[in-house]
Amino acid sequence: MDLTDIKSIIIASASEQADTDEIPRRLEDQGVSFDFSSDFNEKVIERIFKEKFTVIRESDFGKNLSKVFYRIALTGVAAIVLLLLSIFLTEGSISFNSFLGMGSIYDESVFYLLTGI
Amino acid sequence: MKESYRLADENELIKASLEGNASAFEEIVSRYRRLVARTVKGMLGDSVYAEDIGQEVFIKLYYSLPEFRGEAKLSTYIQRIAVNLTLNEIKRRKRFFSMFSQKGNDEIYEYEIPDHGGPEKEEAKELVNKALMSIDPKFRIVVVMRMLQGYSTKETAEILNLPLGTVLSRLSRAQEQLRKILKAL
């Protein structure tokens, strides 16, 4: 069978009346066959089962991360409350000046400290 | 020791695969890899991308097996996945390449003529590849279903989820395009 015959088969395959059982067989006889590489099956299986383990590991990591986050967040909130309490006890209020440690310093003293006049 | 599923029927393979049995699913891959290759390689050319899409088809099949109700044949179900993923890949590549060039998607694909068979057999395959790659993907898919898979127009319409009339008109347009292209080759 030469290339002209192959061309005829290709054109005929797009015809409504084409014998669709016969065409693939005739083409295959002429070497027109399609397949994947020899290690295709192994690659597919490896990807599926490797991905499965990755998903499990990822979900474990996610769970652990959220646990750690809650612990850190709780510790942080506790530390802030203690800080505010200690500021209130030492300075008598929790104003902005108290935060900066300047609750009991007069404006004149600050001016003197900064300019020396 | 690996359990052999070579003689197992389709339902048995599906059931074992759903239970996470790799050997059973590997048997499904072995049985349908050529069916998928014909669609994917017929649409994308004999390229490395086709191999990747082929793998994606079976990965998608594995994860969608719980939804497989057995209303259609497993081969039809796999074929639909292959068609969808291949058409999506063509669209994705078309979008990607249109950002960099004004050329159509026909220039996207690389041909890799496999090193098997005599020179005449290689020529025949190259001719089929060139003819398919030269026609519009929406016509190409219809020709692939008929020429490489051997489906009837009715089956093609069912797999592609198209009305029969659309399949017939696309076949006619494809035939017109193929005539012109093959005359020049």
Side-chain angles (χ1 to χ4, degrees), chain B residues 62-75:
Chain B
Y62 182 81
Y63 288 108
S64 64
L65 268 183
E67 291 151 35
F68 178 67
R69 300 269 167 263
E71 286 154 3
K73 281 196 283 183
L74 185 64
S75 59

Side-chain angles (χ1 to χ4, degrees), chain A residues 7 15 33 36-37 41 47, chain B residues 30 33 51 56 146 185:
Chain A
K7 285 180 185 180
S15 158
S33 62
F36 296 115
S37 59
N41 294 11
R47 277 185 67 185
Chain B
S30 294
R33 56 181 280 173
E51 188 94 8
E56 293 295 331
R146 304 262 297 161
L185 287 174

Side-chain angles (χ1 to χ4, degrees), chain B residues 67-107:
Chain B
E67 291 151 35
F68 178 67
R69 300 269 167 263
E71 286 154 3
K73 281 196 283 183
L74 185 64
S75 59
T76 311
Y77 190 68
I78 296 172
Q79 192 65 261
R80 281 191 188 132
I81 297 175
V83 167
N84 288 338
L85 289 186
T86 309
L87 291 177
N88 285 346
E89 176 66 10
I90 289 174
K91 274 184 209 159
R92 196 185 68 80
R93 286 184 183 281
K94 208 171 178 180
R95 270 202 305 271
F96 178 77
F97 282 91
S98 66
M99 289 193 288
F100 302 103
S101 108
Q102 294 298 309
K103 291 174 184 175
N105 68 315
D106 289 341
E107 282 113 320

Side-chain angles (χ1 to χ4, degrees), chain A residues 17-89:
Chain A
Q17 290 82 32
D19 182 353
T20 47
D21 286 332
E22 182 71 4
I23 287 170
R25 200 187 54 75
R26 284 177 70 191
L27 283 175
E28 217 157 281
D29 287 346
Q30 296 309 307
V32 186
S33 62
F34 296 90
D35 200 356
F36 296 115
S37 59
S38 52
D39 57 350
F40 179 81
N41 294 11
E42 289 82 45
K43 280 182 187 167
V44 171
I45 297 300
E46 198 189 307
R47 277 185 67 185
I48 291 171
F49 290 92
K50 209 175 154 189
E51 271 178 22
K52 253 185 155 179
F53 289 124
T54 312
V55 170
I56 291 165
R57 277 186 193 166
E58 272 175 8
S59 66
D60 281 350
F61 177 74
K63 275 179 199 165
N64 291 337
L65 191 72
S66 61
K67 267 185 201 167
V68 170
F69 174 79
Y70 282 121
R71 278 183 194 170
I72 291 171
L74 277 175
T75 316
V77 169
I80 291 165
V81 169
L82 277 174
L83 184 70
L84 290 174
L85 193 69
S86 71
I87 288 171
F88 183 73
L89 289 175

